[in-house]
Amino acid sequence: MKRIILILSILVGVSLSSAAQRTVPGRGAPYAGASINESSFGIRAGWQGWELWGAWSAGAVNRNYSSMTDSGATLHYSEICAEGNVMARIASARSRVISLYGGGGVFLGDEISDPYRTLPGYIDTGIARNTFIYGVQASLELEVYPLKRLGISLRGTVPLTFGSPMGWIHYEGSVNIHYDF
């Protein structure tokens, strides 16, 4: 346990002043990935930039969910949103081959009820087909660069969605690929 604490302390210490070529301030890279949540899947894509203190990202996300109706049918709903995140570097290796970020962001977009039109016609949910949604999200991301220009990140996100008739708190995990030009 003492070794783990020592290693984490060293990682935090060197992360404050280290700078690798791929994460130098002002640099950026596109990312794309797939996510999984409590009931379905999603996709995300955008641009991530790095600063000395951490990273930021802007992009689009599609989150899909499903829930059971009282009659036993499955109601699918999809969120299509623009998002922006700011994350502080919590720890990293000096070379930044591996970094841990934590932070949050905002999103806004459209929630579509029954996007695939799978509910039988006799079931009326009383929910509008399209709803404007917005919210905030907390994220924790582990970024690893196994190759010089190719990175993989694992991200856990908890979005708090406002304006949605389907629920306001969800969770998701995603795997993203970063390519540094």
Side-chain angles (χ1 to χ4, degrees), residues 73-145:
T74 301
L75 172 62
H76 300 279
Y77 55 104
S78 182
E79 297 176 353
I80 300 171
C81 300
E83 70 174 353
N85 293 289
V86 176
M87 295 184 288
R89 185 174 299 104
I90 297 171
S92 72
R94 181 157 179 80
S95 66
R96 302 244 178 106
V97 169
I98 184 169
S99 297
L100 179 65
Y101 299 96
V106 297
F107 62 92
L108 61 91
D110 185 29
E111 182 175 82
I112 305 166
S113 298
D114 196 21
Y116 314 116
R117 305 250 185 210
T118 57
L119 279 182
Y122 62 86
I123 296 178
D124 180 21
T125 62
I127 298 170
R129 178 154 165 79
N130 292 78
T131 306
F132 174 74
I133 58 170
Y134 60 98
V136 296
Q137 58 194 12
S139 298
L140 188 64
E141 181 172 349
L142 178 66
E143 182 180 69
V144 179
Y145 272 82

Side-chain angles (χ1 to χ4, degrees), residues 4 7 9-10 16 26 31 40 43 49 52 54 66 70 74 86 93-94 96 108 113 118 123 131 138-139 144 176:
I4 293 172
I7 291 169
S9 300
I10 291 170
L16 297 176
Y31 67 88
S40 192
I43 57 173
L52 283 177
S66 60
D70 292 338
T74 301
V86 176
R94 181 157 179 80
R96 302 244 178 106
L108 61 91
S113 298
T118 57
I123 296 178
T131 306
S139 298
V144 179
N176 301 298

Side-chain angles (χ1 to χ4, degrees), residues 22 141 160:
R22 72 180 140 271
E141 181 172 349
L160 302 175

